Amino acid sequence: MSKLAALAILLGMLFTACSSTSQLSRSSNKEDKVAASLVKTGRSMLGKKYRYGGESAKGFDCSGLTRYIFGSQDIELARRAADQYRQGVKVDRLDARPGDLVFFINRGKIDHVAMVTRVDRDHLFILHSTSSKGVIEEDMRISKYWTKRYKSVRRVRK
């Protein structure tokens, strides 16, 4: 192979890599905007009452809240937490990002869902509707109740 042909191949690979990178950046920016909007919508529901089977601003249960939040971005979630668990892709807990869903178990079954609102090195903040406090935001990692019941993080996007 001539030096000129090798250079042409190398330049072609470089341009392809650059265009792939910019496409990745665009989709990441879009995903970041969707996540920010999910968090904003979720936080606007802080303080709403818990309501079994609720999925409106009048009151929410856990899966009704996540369904409402994701619906604001035209992302359809199943109604029950166990069914939402089957949607999206599994994400390592250490790779959780705002807008991801966190699932919890009780007696071996998925029975609660929350949404990640903020992550830093030592904290994982989640927003969820609890029967005792309604819609709240808290650091999951300092709650023995939730860390004991943690099952998985899943990412659901359009």
Side-chain angles (χ1 to χ4, degrees):
M1 178 183 319
S2 73
K3 289 182 183 180
L4 188 56
L7 180 60
I9 291 170
L10 183 60
L11 285 173
M13 290 170 49
L14 179 62
F15 287 125
T16 302
C18 288
S19 66
S20 297
T21 302
S22 63
Q23 181 67 26
L24 180 61
S25 297
R26 279 194 294 271
S27 65
S28 294
N29 286 338
K30 182 180 178 188
E31 190 171 301
D32 289 345
K33 287 178 184 176
V34 169
S37 185
L38 292 171
V39 170
K40 182 178 179 180
T41 299
R43 286 184 172 149
S44 75
M45 296 297 119
L46 285 169
K48 299 292 182 187
K49 293 181 181 180
Y50 176 85
R51 182 173 161 199
Y52 181 78
E55 53 185 311
S56 75
K58 292 180 181 179
F60 295 99
D61 65 11
C62 66
S63 57
L65 176 64
T66 53
R67 182 176 162 93
Y68 178 90
I69 293 167
F70 277 71
S72 73
Q73 290 295 306
D74 297 322
I75 301 169
E76 189 172 331
L77 287 183
R79 179 59 188 96
R80 296 174 51 243
D83 295 328
Q84 289 179 10
Y85 176 71
R86 294 181 187 93
Q87 295 182 252
V89 295
K90 187 175 182 178
V91 176
D92 187 276
R93 184 185 213 174
L94 298 174
D95 294 327
R97 295 193 315 228
D100 289 346
L101 295 176
V102 184
F103 294 89
F104 303 90
I105 57 173
N106 188 19
R107 297 183 186 130
K109 294 182 181 180
I110 301 288
D111 78 335
H112 192 71
V113 60
M115 183 184 72
V116 176
T117 56
R118 186 166 57 106
V119 181
D120 65 36
R121 195 179 64 173
D122 299 318
H123 305 281
L124 181 66
F125 288 87
I126 57 173
L127 184 127
H128 55 140
S129 185
T130 67
S131 57
S132 61
K133 298 177 183 175
V135 179
I136 61 169
E137 185 175 14
E138 66 180 318
D139 183 353
M140 186 193 96
R141 291 184 180 156
I142 62 171
S143 168
K144 288 181 184 176
Y145 182 86
W146 294 115
T147 54
K148 233 170 42 175
R149 289 165 175 76
Y150 168 81
K151 170 69 175 168
S152 179
V153 174
R154 298 192 68 87
R155 185 163 297 141
V156 180
R157 299 293 189 270
K158 286 185 187 180

